[in-house]
Amino acid sequence: MAENNNFPKSWKKSSKPHKFCPGCGQSLALKNLGFVIDELQIADKTVYACDIGCSLLTWDMFEIDTIQTHHGRVVPTMVGFKLAKPSAITIAFMGDGGGYAIGAQHLINAAMRDDPITAILINNANYAMTGGQMAPTTLVGQKATTAPNGRDWQKVGKPIHGPEMLAEIAQEGSYIARTISTDIADCKTKIRKALQNQIDGRGFSFIEIISMCPVNWHTDALQSLDFSEKEMTKVYPLGEFKCPQKLA
Amino acid sequence: MNKELLTGNQAIVKGALASGAQMMTGYPITPTTEILENWAEEAAKNSNLNFLQTEDEMSAGFSMIGGVLAGLKTFSATAGPGNVLMQDALVMAESMRLPTVVFINQRGGPSTGTVIYSQQELNLTCFGGNGEGLRIVYSVGNPQEMYDYAIKAFNTAWRYRFPAFVLGDGYSAKTLTEVETYSLEERKIERVSSAPYLLGEDNSSGSVNLRNTYNLETELNTLLMKHKMAFDGFTSEIVEFDDYQTLGAEIVIVAHGNIAISAKCAIDILKSEDEKVGLFRPITLNPFPSETLRSVVQKKKLIVVIESSLGQFERMVKENLYGENIPMVAIKKPALGINPDEIVERVKDFLKEMNG
């Protein structure tokens, strides 16, 4: 059978099609992650941890060793794994609730301690698995089931800027960036850097990936692209907020 | 064998080292902080030992799980509100059958409470989290036992792959006394080995995908029933108790940990006055030595439950003696120590009432 160049080798065939909703941006991001793992030839030494919420749908997405937990605890789980086995490449994959709300202390302290793991966070501006509640990343005015009139910044504050915040805390040698799932090239480049930084033994690596959630946004394909690429990037600029010289 | 002057917390670290512990994660909290500090000192001297001071006890619990998944004998220590937070990780270990060892030195509760003593973390340690309490809990009462059961807890956890706890208290943790230390080899104790769960040597059967979420109610139910069967299967191998002078006794005191040791002293005093009193002390609170307790209390006139909590232990004793028709009284002093003299006095009162 001919090789399918559009299917990462590190993806598990038996668990496809993947479990995400149609139009979700996460599968694009994770396909890129799969391709990067293939290119770096690290599948046999990579451990991938996924969190609660939509991210748990990836517990058997890869043909690599994986673990699933909740509430942003993917970060300490991978920090502990890396400490015990420094030769492993550890990936902590989570959503904006796990990383920026219920488990925010883990990301902040991992950045401060310069824990040599790669954390990947999906920002889709809502809590998706539970049905579209307000997240720390929900835009001002954006409706959510727990913000029926839209996010009122005077009552609940403005959206969190995760990479910008972590870049303030992180040590030299950290790689911290924001990308978007629909810009395949940019997304792949940044995932690659976030993993290369760990392979090089430099330090903490973090990328936030802006992603689409048509089901909870109640948007069609074009509106989803518009909201993520135009509205979200206005609030969440793409870029590298900390990049070691050797990766630049 | 050596005799050393150690605190309970120092004895725990020595026991952990003797049993082959390789990594500790934790967050400081009285009265367990010295475990963290002593391990940090050991790890600073020995590059084979790993240490991580985490941002909180949830992180301590989950980074411990990370160490276990990578194949290292990893442990933690906590108390009180820290014990509450750590339950998040510990039920995950329970659900996934991961071996963990956690030293709990109880402090007063509820909430922040007091910093040094109670027996109020019994419920939390034995049954904490949104699980079914499939965990092994040793209740210890002095620094020597802290050493002995540190060694035992690592072996039990890694042999049976369930979370194991050594439940002590601040009094025992902070007491400086003579402790007999020994290697596993000189006592001919087997050292149960540890292997990685992820990135193991044998990847012939493809990747390992561990999950903690299930799609169907039946999937989770089947898994839990399997765990329960495994747990029940080894219960008789690990259940432990101390039976002190119950043969011929009219009154049986039931107590655990530090209070059981106090009760033992009281019994020696009462015996010298020809009172017929004995002690049954469960050492494993979970699984509980119910069959032995049931046979010990047969035909006794009175059971006296003594605890430094407000009925947590009494409930456990009642549950395990369900159906027995023997009078039971309890001395319950939450967050307070109970010394032998007080026990002697109270037991004499019970005897007076009983014998009219």
mmCIF file of all heavy atoms in Angstrom, chain A residues 12 45 47 59 62-70 73 76-77 80-81 84 88 105-106 109 113, chain B residues 23 50 55-56 58-59 62-63 66 69-70 72 88 92 96 198-199 207-213:
data_model
loop_
_atom_site.group_PDB
_atom_site.id
_atom_site.type_symbol
_atom_site.label_atom_id
_atom_site.label_comp_id
_atom_site.label_asym_id
_atom_site.label_seq_id
_atom_site.Cartn_x
_atom_site.Cartn_y
_atom_site.Cartn_z
ATOM 1 N N LYS A 12 -1.698 6.940 15.748
ATOM 2 C CA LYS A 12 -2.150 5.550 15.837
ATOM 3 C C LYS A 12 -3.263 5.333 14.817
ATOM 4 O O LYS A 12 -4.282 6.031 14.840
ATOM 5 C CB LYS A 12 -2.667 5.278 17.259
ATOM 6 C CG LYS A 12 -2.900 3.802 17.574
ATOM 7 C CD LYS A 12 -3.626 3.641 18.891
ATOM 8 C CE LYS A 12 -2.725 3.557 20.089
ATOM 9 N NZ LYS A 12 -1.851 2.387 20.183
ATOM 10 N N LYS A 45 11.050 7.829 22.233
ATOM 11 C CA LYS A 45 11.463 8.354 23.547
ATOM 12 C C LYS A 45 10.561 9.480 24.027
ATOM 13 O O LYS A 45 10.892 10.213 24.964
ATOM 14 C CB LYS A 45 12.930 8.783 23.529
ATOM 15 C CG LYS A 45 13.302 9.779 22.467
ATOM 16 C CD LYS A 45 14.767 10.145 22.663
ATOM 17 C CE LYS A 45 15.230 11.140 21.606
ATOM 18 N NZ LYS A 45 16.578 11.594 21.851
ATOM 19 N N VAL A 47 7.022 10.907 25.685
ATOM 20 C CA VAL A 47 5.824 10.627 26.476
ATOM 21 C C VAL A 47 4.890 11.819 26.316
ATOM 22 O O VAL A 47 5.305 12.969 26.472
ATOM 23 C CB VAL A 47 6.163 10.407 27.964
ATOM 24 C CG1 VAL A 47 4.884 10.358 28.799
ATOM 25 C CG2 VAL A 47 6.905 9.105 28.131
ATOM 26 N N TRP A 59 -6.169 10.611 24.159
ATOM 27 C CA TRP A 59 -5.429 9.651 24.998
ATOM 28 C C TRP A 59 -4.856 8.484 24.200
ATOM 29 O O TRP A 59 -3.829 7.924 24.547
ATOM 30 C CB TRP A 59 -6.302 9.147 26.160
ATOM 31 C CG TRP A 59 -7.369 8.178 25.748
ATOM 32 C CD1 TRP A 59 -8.622 8.488 25.323
ATOM 33 C CD2 TRP A 59 -7.279 6.751 25.717
ATOM 34 N NE1 TRP A 59 -9.319 7.345 25.019
ATOM 35 C CE2 TRP A 59 -8.524 6.267 25.256
ATOM 36 C CE3 TRP A 59 -6.270 5.833 26.032
ATOM 37 C CZ2 TRP A 59 -8.777 4.895 25.094
ATOM 38 C CZ3 TRP A 59 -6.530 4.482 25.870
ATOM 39 C CH2 TRP A 59 -7.764 4.029 25.416
ATOM 40 N N PHE A 62 -1.958 8.828 19.549
ATOM 41 C CA PHE A 62 -0.595 8.631 19.028
ATOM 42 C C PHE A 62 -0.092 7.205 19.241
ATOM 43 O O PHE A 62 -0.478 6.543 20.202
ATOM 44 C CB PHE A 62 0.369 9.596 19.727
ATOM 45 C CG PHE A 62 0.142 11.036 19.389
ATOM 46 C CD1 PHE A 62 -0.687 11.819 20.183
ATOM 47 C CD2 PHE A 62 0.731 11.605 18.268
ATOM 48 C CE1 PHE A 62 -0.903 13.162 19.869
ATOM 49 C CE2 PHE A 62 0.513 12.930 17.940
ATOM 50 C CZ PHE A 62 -0.304 13.714 18.749
ATOM 51 N N GLU A 63 0.791 6.804 18.359
ATOM 52 C CA GLU A 63 1.490 5.521 18.537
ATOM 53 C C GLU A 63 2.765 5.788 19.340
ATOM 54 O O GLU A 63 3.865 5.416 18.954
ATOM 55 C CB GLU A 63 1.795 4.930 17.150
ATOM 56 C CG GLU A 63 2.157 3.453 17.165
ATOM 57 C CD GLU A 63 1.028 2.561 17.658
ATOM 58 O OE1 GLU A 63 0.083 2.289 16.886
ATOM 59 O OE2 GLU A 63 1.096 2.156 18.831
ATOM 60 N N ILE A 64 2.582 6.505 20.436
ATOM 61 C CA ILE A 64 3.678 6.740 21.367
ATOM 62 C C ILE A 64 3.097 6.540 22.767
ATOM 63 O O ILE A 64 1.881 6.501 22.934
ATOM 64 C CB ILE A 64 4.297 8.157 21.236
ATOM 65 C CG1 ILE A 64 3.229 9.233 21.461
ATOM 66 C CG2 ILE A 64 4.945 8.352 19.892
ATOM 67 C CD1 ILE A 64 3.780 10.643 21.367
ATOM 68 N N ASP A 65 3.958 6.416 23.773
ATOM 69 C CA ASP A 65 3.457 6.184 25.136
ATOM 70 C C ASP A 65 2.755 7.443 25.660
ATOM 71 O O ASP A 65 3.273 8.556 25.519
ATOM 72 C CB ASP A 65 4.598 5.761 26.064
ATOM 73 C CG ASP A 65 4.996 4.307 25.821
ATOM 74 O OD1 ASP A 65 4.444 3.699 24.878
ATOM 75 O OD2 ASP A 65 5.846 3.786 26.562
ATOM 76 N N THR A 66 1.578 7.230 26.251
ATOM 77 C CA THR A 66 0.764 8.372 26.687
ATOM 78 C C THR A 66 0.148 8.137 28.061
ATOM 79 O O THR A 66 -0.001 7.009 28.506
ATOM 80 C CB THR A 66 -0.393 8.642 25.691
ATOM 81 O OG1 THR A 66 -1.244 7.497 25.666
ATOM 82 C CG2 THR A 66 0.105 8.932 24.301
ATOM 83 N N ILE A 67 -0.234 9.227 28.685
ATOM 84 C CA ILE A 67 -0.934 9.189 29.975
ATOM 85 C C ILE A 67 -1.978 10.312 29.945
ATOM 86 O O ILE A 67 -1.751 11.337 29.316
ATOM 87 C CB ILE A 67 0.057 9.359 31.155
ATOM 88 C CG1 ILE A 67 -0.641 9.416 32.514
ATOM 89 C CG2 ILE A 67 0.911 10.600 31.014
ATOM 90 C CD1 ILE A 67 -0.869 8.092 33.157
ATOM 91 N N GLN A 68 -3.083 10.092 30.647
ATOM 92 C CA GLN A 68 -4.135 11.124 30.654
ATOM 93 C C GLN A 68 -4.513 11.467 32.092
ATOM 94 O O GLN A 68 -4.655 10.595 32.934
ATOM 95 C CB GLN A 68 -5.362 10.603 29.894
ATOM 96 C CG GLN A 68 -6.532 11.572 29.852
ATOM 97 C CD GLN A 68 -7.620 11.195 30.835
ATOM 98 O OE1 GLN A 68 -7.969 10.028 30.950
ATOM 99 N NE2 GLN A 68 -8.131 12.171 31.557
ATOM 100 N N THR A 69 -4.619 12.757 32.373
ATOM 101 C CA THR A 69 -5.050 13.190 33.697
ATOM 102 C C THR A 69 -5.989 14.394 33.568
ATOM 103 O O THR A 69 -6.706 14.500 32.572
ATOM 104 C CB THR A 69 -3.833 13.436 34.630
ATOM 105 O OG1 THR A 69 -4.312 13.867 35.898
ATOM 106 C CG2 THR A 69 -2.880 14.466 34.055
ATOM 107 N N HIS A 70 -6.013 15.288 34.539
ATOM 108 C CA HIS A 70 -7.001 16.373 34.489
ATOM 109 C C HIS A 70 -6.498 17.658 35.139
ATOM 110 O O HIS A 70 -5.505 17.654 35.862
ATOM 111 C CB HIS A 70 -8.308 15.927 35.151
ATOM 112 C CG HIS A 70 -8.139 15.384 36.540
ATOM 113 N ND1 HIS A 70 -8.784 14.264 36.986
ATOM 114 C CD2 HIS A 70 -7.372 15.812 37.566
ATOM 115 C CE1 HIS A 70 -8.433 14.034 38.245
ATOM 116 N NE2 HIS A 70 -7.584 14.950 38.617
ATOM 117 N N ARG A 73 -2.912 19.076 35.500
ATOM 118 C CA ARG A 73 -1.888 18.292 36.215
ATOM 119 C C ARG A 73 -0.972 17.562 35.230
ATOM 120 O O ARG A 73 -0.047 16.866 35.645
ATOM 121 C CB ARG A 73 -2.512 17.286 37.182
ATOM 122 C CG ARG A 73 -3.704 17.755 37.983
ATOM 123 C CD ARG A 73 -3.455 18.853 38.986
ATOM 124 N NE ARG A 73 -4.713 19.199 39.626
ATOM 125 C CZ ARG A 73 -5.174 20.430 39.827
ATOM 126 N NH1 ARG A 73 -4.465 21.468 39.486
ATOM 127 N NH2 ARG A 73 -6.334 20.633 40.406
ATOM 128 N N PRO A 76 2.714 18.967 36.119
ATOM 129 C CA PRO A 76 3.538 18.268 37.133
ATOM 130 C C PRO A 76 3.787 16.795 36.808
ATOM 131 O O PRO A 76 4.852 16.264 37.146
ATOM 132 C CB PRO A 76 2.740 18.412 38.431
ATOM 133 C CG PRO A 76 1.386 18.862 38.058
ATOM 134 C CD PRO A 76 1.519 19.568 36.744
ATOM 135 N N THR A 77 2.826 16.135 36.146
ATOM 136 C CA THR A 77 3.046 14.722 35.808
ATOM 137 C C THR A 77 4.260 14.599 34.876
ATOM 138 O O THR A 77 5.128 13.741 35.072
ATOM 139 C CB THR A 77 1.786 14.112 35.157
ATOM 140 O OG1 THR A 77 0.670 14.327 36.022
ATOM 141 C CG2 THR A 77 1.939 12.617 34.928
ATOM 142 N N GLY A 80 7.570 15.521 36.738
ATOM 143 C CA GLY A 80 8.058 14.390 37.525
ATOM 144 C C GLY A 80 8.682 13.337 36.641
ATOM 145 O O GLY A 80 9.737 12.768 36.962
ATOM 146 N N PHE A 81 8.038 13.071 35.494
ATOM 147 C CA PHE A 81 8.562 12.054 34.574
ATOM 148 C C PHE A 81 9.944 12.472 34.064
ATOM 149 O O PHE A 81 10.883 11.674 34.043
ATOM 150 C CB PHE A 81 7.596 11.852 33.400
ATOM 151 C CG PHE A 81 7.843 10.585 32.640
ATOM 152 C CD1 PHE A 81 7.088 9.452 32.911
ATOM 153 C CD2 PHE A 81 8.839 10.498 31.682
ATOM 154 C CE1 PHE A 81 7.321 8.257 32.225
ATOM 155 C CE2 PHE A 81 9.089 9.319 30.996
ATOM 156 C CZ PHE A 81 8.318 8.191 31.263
ATOM 157 N N ALA A 84 12.630 12.097 36.601
ATOM 158 C CA ALA A 84 13.000 10.699 36.816
ATOM 159 C C ALA A 84 13.735 10.124 35.614
ATOM 160 O O ALA A 84 14.571 9.242 35.756
ATOM 161 C CB ALA A 84 11.746 9.875 37.113
ATOM 162 N N ALA A 88 13.938 11.287 28.348
ATOM 163 C CA ALA A 88 12.622 11.285 27.712
ATOM 164 C C ALA A 88 12.283 12.676 27.174
ATOM 165 O O ALA A 88 12.738 13.687 27.704
ATOM 166 C CB ALA A 88 11.561 10.868 28.727
ATOM 167 N N GLN A 105 -1.309 27.419 38.428
ATOM 168 C CA GLN A 105 -0.103 27.451 39.274
ATOM 169 C C GLN A 105 0.978 26.512 38.764
ATOM 170 O O GLN A 105 2.160 26.756 38.960
ATOM 171 C CB GLN A 105 -0.465 27.136 40.737
ATOM 172 C CG GLN A 105 -0.776 25.665 41.064
ATOM 173 C CD GLN A 105 -2.236 25.291 40.821
ATOM 174 O OE1 GLN A 105 -2.869 25.774 39.897
ATOM 175 N NE2 GLN A 105 -2.781 24.430 41.656
ATOM 176 N N HIS A 106 0.569 25.441 38.104
ATOM 177 C CA HIS A 106 1.565 24.476 37.624
ATOM 178 C C HIS A 106 2.384 25.067 36.477
ATOM 179 O O HIS A 106 3.605 24.943 36.454
ATOM 180 C CB HIS A 106 0.883 23.186 37.176
ATOM 181 C CG HIS A 106 0.010 22.574 38.240
ATOM 182 N ND1 HIS A 106 0.418 22.455 39.549
ATOM 183 C CD2 HIS A 106 -1.247 22.070 38.189
ATOM 184 C CE1 HIS A 106 -0.550 21.879 40.255
ATOM 185 N NE2 HIS A 106 -1.568 21.641 39.458
ATOM 186 N N ASN A 109 4.728 27.883 37.810
ATOM 187 C CA ASN A 109 5.883 27.401 38.557
ATOM 188 C C ASN A 109 6.829 26.570 37.708
ATOM 189 O O ASN A 109 8.042 26.575 37.941
ATOM 190 C CB ASN A 109 5.427 26.636 39.802
ATOM 191 C CG ASN A 109 4.976 27.577 40.896
ATOM 192 O OD1 ASN A 109 5.794 28.063 41.669
ATOM 193 N ND2 ASN A 109 3.697 27.879 40.944
ATOM 194 N N ARG A 113 10.639 27.522 37.429
ATOM 195 C CA ARG A 113 11.705 26.546 37.753
ATOM 196 C C ARG A 113 12.505 26.152 36.518
ATOM 197 O O ARG A 113 13.494 25.448 36.621
ATOM 198 C CB ARG A 113 11.081 25.269 38.338
ATOM 199 C CG ARG A 113 10.607 25.350 39.765
ATOM 200 C CD ARG A 113 10.236 23.946 40.267
ATOM 201 N NE ARG A 113 9.222 23.321 39.433
ATOM 202 C CZ ARG A 113 7.936 23.189 39.774
ATOM 203 N NH1 ARG A 113 7.506 23.613 40.932
ATOM 204 N NH2 ARG A 113 7.084 22.610 38.954
ATOM 205 N N MET B 23 13.223 8.911 44.668
ATOM 206 C CA MET B 23 12.769 10.273 44.346
ATOM 207 C C MET B 23 11.691 10.699 45.318
ATOM 208 O O MET B 23 10.853 9.895 45.716
ATOM 209 C CB MET B 23 12.239 10.264 42.901
ATOM 210 C CG MET B 23 11.555 11.535 42.430
ATOM 211 S SD MET B 23 11.518 11.569 40.605
ATOM 212 C CE MET B 23 10.052 12.547 40.315
ATOM 213 N N ASN B 50 16.538 11.844 43.421
ATOM 214 C CA ASN B 50 15.870 13.021 42.853
ATOM 215 C C ASN B 50 15.002 13.693 43.890
ATOM 216 O O ASN B 50 14.414 13.031 44.748
ATOM 217 C CB ASN B 50 14.989 12.606 41.673
ATOM 218 C CG ASN B 50 15.806 12.182 40.485
ATOM 219 O OD1 ASN B 50 16.758 12.847 40.114
ATOM 220 N ND2 ASN B 50 15.454 11.050 39.908
ATOM 221 N N GLU B 55 4.972 23.370 43.816
ATOM 222 C CA GLU B 55 4.215 24.579 44.142
ATOM 223 C C GLU B 55 3.050 24.292 45.083
ATOM 224 O O GLU B 55 2.513 25.209 45.694
ATOM 225 C CB GLU B 55 3.715 25.267 42.862
ATOM 226 C CG GLU B 55 2.837 24.430 41.945
ATOM 227 C CD GLU B 55 3.637 23.546 40.993
ATOM 228 O OE1 GLU B 55 4.825 23.314 41.254
ATOM 229 O OE2 GLU B 55 3.054 23.076 39.997
ATOM 230 N N ASP B 56 2.625 23.057 45.181
ATOM 231 C CA ASP B 56 1.538 22.684 46.091
ATOM 232 C C ASP B 56 1.484 21.159 46.161
ATOM 233 O O ASP B 56 2.263 20.466 45.504
ATOM 234 C CB ASP B 56 0.179 23.286 45.648
ATOM 235 C CG ASP B 56 -0.243 22.833 44.264
ATOM 236 O OD1 ASP B 56 0.133 21.723 43.841
ATOM 237 O OD2 ASP B 56 -0.958 23.594 43.585
ATOM 238 N N MET B 58 -0.929 19.198 45.161
ATOM 239 C CA MET B 58 -1.441 18.546 43.952
ATOM 240 C C MET B 58 -0.274 18.258 43.022
ATOM 241 O O MET B 58 -0.122 17.157 42.502
ATOM 242 C CB MET B 58 -2.472 19.442 43.264
ATOM 243 C CG MET B 58 -3.761 19.528 44.043
ATOM 244 S SD MET B 58 -4.973 20.591 43.274
ATOM 245 C CE MET B 58 -4.309 22.187 43.635
ATOM 246 N N SER B 59 0.549 19.257 42.858
ATOM 247 C CA SER B 59 1.734 19.087 42.017
ATOM 248 C C SER B 59 2.661 18.019 42.602
ATOM 249 O O SER B 59 3.245 17.223 41.865
ATOM 250 C CB SER B 59 2.458 20.430 41.905
ATOM 251 O OG SER B 59 3.604 20.302 41.119
ATOM 252 N N PHE B 62 1.080 14.674 41.674
ATOM 253 C CA PHE B 62 1.153 14.321 40.250
ATOM 254 C C PHE B 62 2.597 14.171 39.766
ATOM 255 O O PHE B 62 2.862 13.332 38.899
ATOM 256 C CB PHE B 62 0.366 15.327 39.404
ATOM 257 C CG PHE B 62 -1.120 15.095 39.481
ATOM 258 C CD1 PHE B 62 -1.902 15.786 40.390
ATOM 259 C CD2 PHE B 62 -1.731 14.141 38.685
ATOM 260 C CE1 PHE B 62 -3.271 15.552 40.493
ATOM 261 C CE2 PHE B 62 -3.095 13.892 38.775
ATOM 262 C CZ PHE B 62 -3.872 14.598 39.687
ATOM 263 N N SER B 63 3.524 14.948 40.309
ATOM 264 C CA SER B 63 4.915 14.735 39.890
ATOM 265 C C SER B 63 5.441 13.420 40.476
ATOM 266 O O SER B 63 6.293 12.767 39.864
ATOM 267 C CB SER B 63 5.808 15.926 40.253
ATOM 268 O OG SER B 63 5.658 16.284 41.599
ATOM 269 N N GLY B 66 4.394 11.015 38.031
ATOM 270 C CA GLY B 66 5.324 11.086 36.897
ATOM 271 C C GLY B 66 6.566 10.250 37.156
ATOM 272 O O GLY B 66 7.019 9.493 36.285
ATOM 273 N N LEU B 69 5.670 6.568 36.933
ATOM 274 C CA LEU B 69 5.474 6.138 35.537
ATOM 275 C C LEU B 69 6.812 5.925 34.838
ATOM 276 O O LEU B 69 6.943 5.058 33.987
ATOM 277 C CB LEU B 69 4.648 7.173 34.769
ATOM 278 C CG LEU B 69 3.174 7.304 35.162
ATOM 279 C CD1 LEU B 69 2.546 8.526 34.492
ATOM 280 C CD2 LEU B 69 2.388 6.040 34.795
ATOM 281 N N ALA B 70 7.809 6.731 35.227
ATOM 282 C CA ALA B 70 9.138 6.606 34.616
ATOM 283 C C ALA B 70 9.939 5.464 35.246
ATOM 284 O O ALA B 70 11.038 5.160 34.795
ATOM 285 C CB ALA B 70 9.896 7.922 34.749
ATOM 286 N N LEU B 72 10.731 5.042 38.755
ATOM 287 C CA LEU B 72 11.443 5.251 40.016
ATOM 288 C C LEU B 72 10.510 5.082 41.206
ATOM 289 O O LEU B 72 9.344 5.461 41.159
ATOM 290 C CB LEU B 72 12.059 6.657 40.064
ATOM 291 C CG LEU B 72 13.130 6.993 39.037
ATOM 292 C CD1 LEU B 72 13.851 8.278 39.430
ATOM 293 C CD2 LEU B 72 14.161 5.878 38.867
ATOM 294 N N ASP B 88 -6.297 14.313 45.154
ATOM 295 C CA ASP B 88 -6.556 14.393 43.719
ATOM 296 C C ASP B 88 -5.656 13.411 42.957
ATOM 297 O O ASP B 88 -6.125 12.608 42.139
ATOM 298 C CB ASP B 88 -6.303 15.843 43.268
ATOM 299 C CG ASP B 88 -6.722 16.126 41.839
ATOM 300 O OD1 ASP B 88 -7.373 15.258 41.221
ATOM 301 O OD2 ASP B 88 -6.399 17.206 41.331
ATOM 302 N N MET B 92 -6.132 9.084 41.492
ATOM 303 C CA MET B 92 -5.694 8.697 40.144
ATOM 304 C C MET B 92 -4.801 7.453 40.234
ATOM 305 O O MET B 92 -4.947 6.504 39.463
ATOM 306 C CB MET B 92 -4.941 9.835 39.464
ATOM 307 C CG MET B 92 -4.297 9.435 38.150
ATOM 308 S SD MET B 92 -3.775 10.852 37.187
ATOM 309 C CE MET B 92 -2.625 10.092 36.044
ATOM 310 N N MET B 96 -5.617 3.908 38.526
ATOM 311 C CA MET B 96 -4.737 3.328 37.509
ATOM 312 C C MET B 96 -3.833 2.255 38.079
ATOM 313 O O MET B 96 -2.976 1.736 37.374
ATOM 314 C CB MET B 96 -3.897 4.440 36.872
ATOM 315 C CG MET B 96 -4.748 5.517 36.247
ATOM 316 S SD MET B 96 -3.764 6.801 35.472
ATOM 317 C CE MET B 96 -3.561 6.066 33.876
ATOM 318 N N LEU B 198 5.790 3.682 31.422
ATOM 319 C CA LEU B 198 5.880 4.279 30.089
ATOM 320 C C LEU B 198 7.351 4.306 29.683
ATOM 321 O O LEU B 198 8.230 4.463 30.530
ATOM 322 C CB LEU B 198 5.316 5.707 30.106
ATOM 323 C CG LEU B 198 3.841 5.847 30.507
ATOM 324 C CD1 LEU B 198 3.448 7.322 30.587
ATOM 325 C CD2 LEU B 198 2.924 5.117 29.536
ATOM 326 N N LEU B 199 7.607 4.173 28.382
ATOM 327 C CA LEU B 199 8.970 4.100 27.850
ATOM 328 C C LEU B 199 9.767 2.968 28.503
ATOM 329 O O LEU B 199 10.932 3.139 28.861
ATOM 330 C CB LEU B 199 9.724 5.435 28.019
ATOM 331 C CG LEU B 199 9.140 6.667 27.330
ATOM 332 C CD1 LEU B 199 10.109 7.847 27.444
ATOM 333 C CD2 LEU B 199 8.837 6.394 25.852
ATOM 334 N N SER B 207 2.683 0.915 21.437
ATOM 335 C CA SER B 207 2.740 1.973 22.438
ATOM 336 C C SER B 207 1.793 1.680 23.596
ATOM 337 O O SER B 207 0.825 0.933 23.461
ATOM 338 C CB SER B 207 2.383 3.306 21.796
ATOM 339 O OG SER B 207 1.089 3.230 21.247
ATOM 340 N N VAL B 208 2.096 2.292 24.753
ATOM 341 C CA VAL B 208 1.250 2.140 25.935
ATOM 342 C C VAL B 208 0.412 3.411 26.075
ATOM 343 O O VAL B 208 0.960 4.499 26.216
ATOM 344 C CB VAL B 208 2.119 1.958 27.200
ATOM 345 C CG1 VAL B 208 1.237 1.799 28.441
ATOM 346 C CG2 VAL B 208 3.044 0.761 27.048
ATOM 347 N N ASN B 209 -0.896 3.287 26.000
ATOM 348 C CA ASN B 209 -1.770 4.452 26.150
ATOM 349 C C ASN B 209 -2.591 4.281 27.426
ATOM 350 O O ASN B 209 -3.523 3.482 27.470
ATOM 351 C CB ASN B 209 -2.704 4.601 24.939
ATOM 352 C CG ASN B 209 -1.947 4.778 23.630
ATOM 353 O OD1 ASN B 209 -2.209 4.098 22.646
ATOM 354 N ND2 ASN B 209 -0.986 5.679 23.615
ATOM 355 N N LEU B 210 -2.205 5.018 28.458
ATOM 356 C CA LEU B 210 -2.896 4.913 29.743
ATOM 357 C C LEU B 210 -3.936 6.017 29.838
ATOM 358 O O LEU B 210 -3.652 7.172 29.573
ATOM 359 C CB LEU B 210 -1.903 5.042 30.895
ATOM 360 C CG LEU B 210 -0.770 4.024 30.955
ATOM 361 C CD1 LEU B 210 0.162 4.345 32.111
ATOM 362 C CD2 LEU B 210 -1.323 2.611 31.081
ATOM 363 N N ARG B 211 -5.141 5.643 30.222
ATOM 364 C CA ARG B 211 -6.162 6.671 30.370
ATOM 365 C C ARG B 211 -6.779 6.614 31.755
ATOM 366 O O ARG B 211 -6.626 5.642 32.485
ATOM 367 C CB ARG B 211 -7.250 6.536 29.314
ATOM 368 C CG ARG B 211 -8.024 5.238 29.425
ATOM 369 C CD ARG B 211 -9.230 5.264 28.515
ATOM 370 N NE ARG B 211 -9.678 3.910 28.268
ATOM 371 C CZ ARG B 211 -10.867 3.636 27.740
ATOM 372 N NH1 ARG B 211 -11.668 4.617 27.382
ATOM 373 N NH2 ARG B 211 -11.236 2.387 27.556
ATOM 374 N N ASN B 212 -7.497 7.662 32.062
ATOM 375 C CA ASN B 212 -8.066 7.858 33.379
ATOM 376 C C ASN B 212 -9.533 8.260 33.207
ATOM 377 O O ASN B 212 -10.154 8.750 34.126
ATOM 378 C CB ASN B 212 -7.255 8.980 34.038
ATOM 379 C CG ASN B 212 -7.430 9.043 35.519
ATOM 380 O OD1 ASN B 212 -7.895 8.103 36.140
ATOM 381 N ND2 ASN B 212 -7.089 10.168 36.097
ATOM 382 N N THR B 213 -10.037 8.104 31.977
ATOM 383 C CA THR B 213 -11.411 8.476 31.627
ATOM 384 C C THR B 213 -12.025 7.326 30.849
ATOM 385 O O THR B 213 -11.330 6.721 30.044
ATOM 386 C CB THR B 213 -11.424 9.684 30.669
ATOM 387 O OG1 THR B 213 -10.517 10.643 31.130
ATOM 388 C CG2 THR B 213 -12.804 10.280 30.545
#
